[in-house]
Amino acid sequence: MSEDEDLREAGLKVTVPRLKILRVLETSAQRHMSAEDVYRTLLESGEELNLATVYRVLTQFEAAGLVSRHHFEGGHSTFEIDSGEHHDHIVCVACGRVDEFVDATIERRQAEIASQAGYEMTDHSLYIYGLCGECRSRKRLSGTVSESSG
């Protein structure tokens, strides 16, 4: 499906800013992008949209179900194309790296817990926070260097 069709199917008018922003989200190697990331990518590719437009379009995309917004620790929102497939996230608290995962055991336990509490689960999100391997290595290296230099 083309970007034009994606926008029309979501009930949005096809405009140049919407097409450019959707293209960035669909083609970026980075799946979770802040509005600032999208804006920076557009600037680097020679596109001239202002940051307010990027925020407005991302909010419209969220309302139309084209993207999901995540509020990870650190206070900023990130957006990802909503593929319709559920997944959870693990987030590095040092560098902000986000990895996705699906675990059938976790999914089953969440449904059991909701049921045991008398709930019918309609949706859920799971964010795990920690230090990624790169940041742990950097931390170990900086700890080793500072210990040996004292």
Side-chain angles (χ1 to χ4, degrees):
M1 189 179 298
S2 73
E3 283 110 357
D4 289 19
E5 292 168 328
D6 288 340
L7 291 172
R8 285 192 193 96
E9 190 173 289
L12 296 171
K13 183 178 173 189
V14 177
T15 64
V16 171
R18 287 179 180 151
L19 286 171
K20 289 178 180 180
I21 292 168
L22 185 58
R23 194 165 297 126
V24 166
L25 292 169
E26 289 181 336
T27 60
S28 174
Q30 185 181 349
R31 271 191 48 84
H32 302 87
M33 299 183 79
S34 68
E36 292 81 5
D37 293 332
V38 172
Y39 175 68
R40 200 173 312 108
T41 301
L42 288 165
L43 284 179
E44 288 169 0
S45 66
E47 301 295 342
E48 293 189 23
L49 290 179
N50 63 46
L51 185 56
T53 299
V54 173
Y55 272 106
R56 186 177 64 254
V57 169
L58 289 171
T59 301
Q60 293 166 348
F61 284 179
E62 179 187 16
L66 285 174
V67 300
S68 295
R69 179 190 304 241
H70 299 284
H71 303 281
F72 297 130
E73 196 170 279
H76 70 279
S77 296
T78 61
F79 299 85
E80 72 174 311
I81 294 289
D82 190 339
S83 64
E85 295 179 15
H86 174 77
H87 57 269
D88 296 305
H89 298 90
I90 187 163
V91 182
C92 180
V93 297
C95 69
R97 173 179 159 180
V98 179
D99 289 304
E100 299 173 350
F101 69 95
V102 176
D103 185 286
T105 303
I106 291 173
E107 297 302 315
R108 189 171 45 257
R109 277 299 293 143
Q110 289 176 117
E112 290 169 0
I113 291 166
S115 178
Q116 290 167 358
Y119 283 77
E120 176 185 342
M121 186 167 55
T122 58
D123 194 14
H124 75 278
S125 62
L126 173 65
Y127 302 141
I128 298 174
Y129 296 97
L131 288 172
C132 70
E134 277 187 40
C135 290
R136 283 195 341 270
S137 292
R138 270 196 297 270
K139 188 176 178 182
R140 270 194 302 275
L141 287 173
S142 68
T144 304
V145 170
S146 64
E147 290 170 9
S148 64
S149 63

